[in-house]
Short mmCIF file of all heavy atoms in Angstrom, two decimals:
data_model
loop_
_atom_site.label_atom_id
_atom_site.label_comp_id
_atom_site.label_asym_id
_atom_site.label_seq_id
_atom_site.Cartn_x
_atom_site.Cartn_y
_atom_site.Cartn_z
N VAL B 67 20.16 -10.15 1.22
CA VAL B 67 18.96 -9.34 1.45
C VAL B 67 19.32 -8.20 2.37
O VAL B 67 20.22 -8.30 3.21
CB VAL B 67 17.80 -10.16 2.06
CG1 VAL B 67 17.22 -11.15 1.05
CG2 VAL B 67 18.25 -10.87 3.32
N GLU B 68 18.58 -7.10 2.18
CA GLU B 68 18.73 -5.98 3.09
C GLU B 68 17.53 -5.07 2.99
O GLU B 68 16.75 -5.15 2.05
CB GLU B 68 20.02 -5.19 2.79
CG GLU B 68 20.06 -4.53 1.44
CD GLU B 68 21.32 -3.69 1.26
OE1 GLU B 68 22.12 -3.54 2.21
OE2 GLU B 68 21.51 -3.15 0.15
N ARG B 69 17.38 -4.21 4.00
CA ARG B 69 16.34 -3.19 3.98
C ARG B 69 16.96 -1.94 4.60
O ARG B 69 16.74 -1.63 5.77
CB ARG B 69 15.09 -3.61 4.73
CG ARG B 69 13.94 -2.65 4.41
CD ARG B 69 12.72 -2.91 5.22
NE ARG B 69 11.62 -2.05 4.73
CZ ARG B 69 10.67 -1.56 5.50
NH1 ARG B 69 10.64 -1.85 6.79
NH2 ARG B 69 9.73 -0.82 4.98
N PRO B 70 17.70 -1.20 3.80
CA PRO B 70 18.38 -0.03 4.34
C PRO B 70 17.41 1.08 4.71
O PRO B 70 16.60 1.48 3.89
CB PRO B 70 19.32 0.40 3.21
CG PRO B 70 18.75 -0.21 1.98
CD PRO B 70 17.98 -1.41 2.38
N ASP B 71 17.45 1.54 5.96
CA ASP B 71 16.71 2.72 6.41
C ASP B 71 15.22 2.66 6.09
O ASP B 71 14.63 3.66 5.69
CB ASP B 71 17.30 3.99 5.80
CG ASP B 71 18.74 4.18 6.20
OD1 ASP B 71 19.06 3.83 7.35
OD2 ASP B 71 19.53 4.65 5.38
N GLY B 72 14.61 1.50 6.24
CA GLY B 72 13.17 1.39 6.05
C GLY B 72 12.69 1.57 4.63
O GLY B 72 11.51 1.82 4.39
N SER B 73 13.58 1.46 3.67
CA SER B 73 13.17 1.60 2.27
C SER B 73 12.75 0.23 1.75
O SER B 73 12.18 -0.57 2.48
CB SER B 73 14.31 2.19 1.46
OG SER B 73 15.45 1.36 1.54
N TYR B 74 13.05 -0.04 0.48
CA TYR B 74 12.69 -1.32 -0.08
C TYR B 74 13.42 -2.46 0.64
O TYR B 74 14.57 -2.30 1.08
CB TYR B 74 13.05 -1.40 -1.56
CG TYR B 74 12.18 -0.59 -2.49
CD1 TYR B 74 12.72 -0.04 -3.65
CD2 TYR B 74 10.84 -0.36 -2.23
CE1 TYR B 74 11.93 0.70 -4.52
CE2 TYR B 74 10.06 0.38 -3.09
CZ TYR B 74 10.60 0.91 -4.23
OH TYR B 74 9.84 1.64 -5.09
N PHE B 75 12.75 -3.58 0.72
CA PHE B 75 13.39 -4.83 1.13
C PHE B 75 13.87 -5.48 -0.16
O PHE B 75 13.08 -5.74 -1.06
CB PHE B 75 12.36 -5.70 1.87
CG PHE B 75 12.85 -7.07 2.23
CD1 PHE B 75 14.03 -7.26 2.93
CD2 PHE B 75 12.11 -8.20 1.89
CE1 PHE B 75 14.47 -8.52 3.27
CE2 PHE B 75 12.53 -9.47 2.24
CZ PHE B 75 13.72 -9.64 2.91
N THR B 76 15.18 -5.71 -0.26
CA THR B 76 15.72 -6.16 -1.55
C THR B 76 16.33 -7.55 -1.46
O THR B 76 16.85 -7.96 -0.41
CB THR B 76 16.81 -5.19 -2.05
OG1 THR B 76 17.89 -5.19 -1.12
CG2 THR B 76 16.27 -3.79 -2.21
N LEU B 77 16.26 -8.23 -2.60
CA LEU B 77 16.96 -9.49 -2.81
C LEU B 77 17.95 -9.26 -3.95
O LEU B 77 17.54 -8.90 -5.05
CB LEU B 77 15.99 -10.61 -3.17
CG LEU B 77 16.62 -11.95 -3.57
CD1 LEU B 77 17.37 -12.59 -2.40
CD2 LEU B 77 15.55 -12.93 -4.08
N LYS B 78 19.21 -9.44 -3.63
CA LYS B 78 20.25 -9.25 -4.64
C LYS B 78 20.86 -10.61 -4.97
O LYS B 78 21.15 -11.40 -4.06
CB LYS B 78 21.32 -8.30 -4.14
CG LYS B 78 22.40 -7.96 -5.16
CD LYS B 78 23.51 -7.11 -4.56
CE LYS B 78 23.03 -5.73 -4.20
NZ LYS B 78 24.17 -4.86 -3.75
N ILE B 79 21.05 -10.83 -6.25
CA ILE B 79 21.71 -12.05 -6.70
C ILE B 79 22.93 -11.63 -7.51
O ILE B 79 22.81 -10.91 -8.51
CB ILE B 79 20.80 -12.94 -7.57
CG1 ILE B 79 19.45 -13.16 -6.89
CG2 ILE B 79 21.48 -14.29 -7.84
CD1 ILE B 79 18.43 -13.90 -7.76
N GLN B 80 24.10 -12.04 -7.05
CA GLN B 80 25.34 -11.65 -7.74
C GLN B 80 26.41 -12.72 -7.56
O GLN B 80 26.86 -12.93 -6.43
CB GLN B 80 25.83 -10.31 -7.17
CG GLN B 80 27.11 -9.81 -7.82
CD GLN B 80 27.54 -8.45 -7.28
OE1 GLN B 80 27.22 -8.10 -6.16
NE2 GLN B 80 28.27 -7.71 -8.08
N PRO B 81 26.81 -13.41 -8.63
CA PRO B 81 26.29 -13.32 -9.99
C PRO B 81 25.08 -14.24 -10.18
O PRO B 81 24.90 -15.20 -9.43
CB PRO B 81 27.47 -13.82 -10.82
CG PRO B 81 28.11 -14.85 -9.92
CD PRO B 81 27.93 -14.35 -8.51
N THR B 82 24.28 -13.94 -11.18
CA THR B 82 23.12 -14.79 -11.48
C THR B 82 23.55 -16.04 -12.24
O THR B 82 24.57 -16.04 -12.95
CB THR B 82 22.08 -14.03 -12.31
OG1 THR B 82 22.77 -13.41 -13.41
CG2 THR B 82 21.39 -12.97 -11.49
N ALA B 83 22.75 -17.08 -12.10
CA ALA B 83 22.95 -18.36 -12.81
C ALA B 83 21.63 -18.73 -13.48
O ALA B 83 20.57 -18.21 -13.12
CB ALA B 83 23.37 -19.44 -11.82
N LEU B 84 21.71 -19.64 -14.45
CA LEU B 84 20.51 -20.04 -15.20
C LEU B 84 19.42 -20.56 -14.27
O LEU B 84 18.23 -20.28 -14.48
CB LEU B 84 20.86 -21.10 -16.24
CG LEU B 84 21.78 -20.66 -17.38
CD1 LEU B 84 22.11 -21.85 -18.28
CD2 LEU B 84 21.15 -19.54 -18.19
N GLU B 85 19.83 -21.29 -13.23
CA GLU B 85 18.84 -21.90 -12.31
C GLU B 85 18.16 -20.87 -11.40
O GLU B 85 17.26 -21.22 -10.63
CB GLU B 85 19.49 -23.00 -11.47
CG GLU B 85 20.61 -22.53 -10.58
CD GLU B 85 21.97 -22.74 -11.20
OE1 GLU B 85 22.08 -22.74 -12.45
OE2 GLU B 85 22.95 -22.87 -10.43
N ASP B 86 18.58 -19.62 -11.52
CA ASP B 86 17.90 -18.57 -10.74
C ASP B 86 16.63 -18.08 -11.43
O ASP B 86 15.86 -17.31 -10.84
CB ASP B 86 18.84 -17.38 -10.51
CG ASP B 86 20.05 -17.76 -9.68
OD1 ASP B 86 19.94 -18.69 -8.84
OD2 ASP B 86 21.12 -17.14 -9.88
N SER B 87 16.40 -18.53 -12.65
CA SER B 87 15.17 -18.15 -13.36
C SER B 87 13.97 -18.71 -12.61
O SER B 87 13.86 -19.92 -12.37
CB SER B 87 15.19 -18.70 -14.78
OG SER B 87 16.20 -18.09 -15.56
N ALA B 88 13.08 -17.81 -12.20
CA ALA B 88 11.93 -18.19 -11.38
C ALA B 88 11.09 -16.94 -11.14
O ALA B 88 11.47 -15.84 -11.53
CB ALA B 88 12.38 -18.76 -10.03
N VAL B 89 9.96 -17.16 -10.47
CA VAL B 89 9.20 -16.02 -9.93
C VAL B 89 9.56 -15.91 -8.47
O VAL B 89 9.53 -16.89 -7.73
CB VAL B 89 7.68 -16.22 -10.10
CG1 VAL B 89 6.93 -15.03 -9.50
CG2 VAL B 89 7.32 -16.39 -11.57
N TYR B 90 9.90 -14.70 -8.06
CA TYR B 90 10.28 -14.44 -6.68
C TYR B 90 9.17 -13.63 -6.01
O TYR B 90 8.80 -12.55 -6.47
CB TYR B 90 11.60 -13.68 -6.61
CG TYR B 90 12.77 -14.54 -7.04
CD1 TYR B 90 13.08 -14.69 -8.40
CD2 TYR B 90 13.54 -15.21 -6.10
CE1 TYR B 90 14.13 -15.50 -8.79
CE2 TYR B 90 14.60 -16.02 -6.49
CZ TYR B 90 14.88 -16.17 -7.84
OH TYR B 90 15.93 -16.98 -8.23
N PHE B 91 8.65 -14.19 -4.93
CA PHE B 91 7.57 -13.53 -4.19
C PHE B 91 8.13 -12.96 -2.89
O PHE B 91 8.83 -13.64 -2.14
CB PHE B 91 6.46 -14.52 -3.85
CG PHE B 91 5.65 -14.97 -5.03
CD1 PHE B 91 5.97 -16.14 -5.70
CD2 PHE B 91 4.56 -14.22 -5.46
CE1 PHE B 91 5.23 -16.56 -6.80
CE2 PHE B 91 3.81 -14.63 -6.55
CZ PHE B 91 4.15 -15.80 -7.22
N CYS B 92 7.75 -11.73 -2.63
CA CYS B 92 8.06 -11.09 -1.37
C CYS B 92 6.82 -11.14 -0.49
O CYS B 92 5.69 -11.10 -0.98
CB CYS B 92 8.45 -9.63 -1.63
SG CYS B 92 8.67 -8.63 -0.16
N ALA B 93 7.02 -11.24 0.81
CA ALA B 93 5.91 -11.21 1.76
C ALA B 93 6.34 -10.44 2.99
O ALA B 93 7.53 -10.32 3.29
CB ALA B 93 5.47 -12.63 2.14
N SER B 94 5.35 -9.91 3.71
CA SER B 94 5.65 -9.25 4.98
C SER B 94 4.58 -9.59 5.98
O SER B 94 3.46 -9.97 5.63
CB SER B 94 5.77 -7.73 4.79
OG SER B 94 4.52 -7.14 4.48
N SER B 95 4.93 -9.47 7.25
CA SER B 95 3.97 -9.73 8.33
C SER B 95 4.36 -8.89 9.53
O SER B 95 5.48 -8.40 9.63
CB SER B 95 3.94 -11.22 8.70
OG SER B 95 5.15 -11.61 9.31
N ARG B 96 3.39 -8.72 10.45
CA ARG B 96 3.70 -8.01 11.70
C ARG B 96 3.61 -8.99 12.85
O ARG B 96 2.95 -10.00 12.78
CB ARG B 96 2.74 -6.85 11.91
CG ARG B 96 1.28 -7.23 11.99
CD ARG B 96 0.43 -5.99 12.15
NE ARG B 96 -0.99 -6.31 12.14
CZ ARG B 96 -1.71 -6.53 13.23
NH1 ARG B 96 -1.14 -6.44 14.41
NH2 ARG B 96 -2.99 -6.81 13.15
N ARG B 97 4.31 -8.70 13.90
CA ARG B 97 4.34 -9.61 15.03
C ARG B 97 3.00 -9.58 15.75
O ARG B 97 2.42 -8.54 15.93
CB ARG B 97 5.46 -9.20 16.00
CG ARG B 97 5.80 -10.27 17.00
CD ARG B 97 7.01 -9.86 17.83
NE ARG B 97 7.39 -10.93 18.73
CZ ARG B 97 8.27 -11.87 18.41
NH1 ARG B 97 8.87 -11.83 17.26
NH2 ARG B 97 8.55 -12.82 19.26
N LEU B 98 2.51 -10.74 16.11
CA LEU B 98 1.22 -10.82 16.78
C LEU B 98 1.32 -11.64 18.05
O LEU B 98 0.42 -12.36 18.40
CB LEU B 98 0.17 -11.43 15.85
CG LEU B 98 -0.34 -10.56 14.73
CD1 LEU B 98 -1.36 -11.31 13.90
CD2 LEU B 98 -0.99 -9.29 15.26
N GLY B 99 2.37 -11.57 18.74
CA GLY B 99 2.50 -12.33 19.97
C GLY B 99 2.49 -13.81 19.69
O GLY B 99 3.21 -14.30 18.85
N ASP B 100 1.60 -14.55 20.36
CA ASP B 100 1.57 -15.99 20.17
C ASP B 100 0.73 -16.43 18.99
O ASP B 100 0.72 -17.60 18.64
CB ASP B 100 1.02 -16.66 21.44
CG ASP B 100 1.98 -16.50 22.61
OD1 ASP B 100 3.18 -16.36 22.35
OD2 ASP B 100 1.52 -16.51 23.76
N ASN B 101 -0.01 -15.49 18.40
CA ASN B 101 -0.85 -15.88 17.26
C ASN B 101 -0.05 -15.87 15.98
O ASN B 101 0.91 -15.14 15.84
CB ASN B 101 -2.02 -14.90 17.12
CG ASN B 101 -2.97 -15.01 18.28
OD1 ASN B 101 -3.27 -16.11 18.73
ND2 ASN B 101 -3.42 -13.89 18.78
N TYR B 102 -0.51 -16.68 15.04
CA TYR B 102 0.18 -16.67 13.76
C TYR B 102 -0.04 -15.33 13.07
O TYR B 102 -1.13 -14.82 13.01
CB TYR B 102 -0.32 -17.80 12.85
CG TYR B 102 0.39 -17.76 11.53
CD1 TYR B 102 1.66 -18.32 11.41
CD2 TYR B 102 -0.14 -17.10 10.44
CE1 TYR B 102 2.35 -18.25 10.22
CE2 TYR B 102 0.55 -17.04 9.26
CZ TYR B 102 1.79 -17.61 9.15
OH TYR B 102 2.49 -17.53 7.98
N ALA B 103 1.04 -14.77 12.54
CA ALA B 103 0.96 -13.49 11.85
C ALA B 103 0.83 -13.74 10.35
O ALA B 103 1.73 -14.32 9.74
CB ALA B 103 2.21 -12.67 12.14
#
Side-chain angles (χ1 to χ4, degrees):
Chain B
V67 290
E68 63 176 355
R69 193 186 187 212
D71 300 324
S73 60
Y74 288 148
F75 174 53
T76 62
L77 173 66
K78 184 185 292 186
I79 310 174
Q80 180 178 26
T82 49
L84 295 176
E85 61 264 27
D86 297 330
S87 294
V89 179
Y90 291 83
F91 290 94
C92 173
S94 68
S95 68
R96 59 182 176 94
R97 195 174 184 91
L98 286 180
D100 293 334
N101 293 318
Y102 180 81

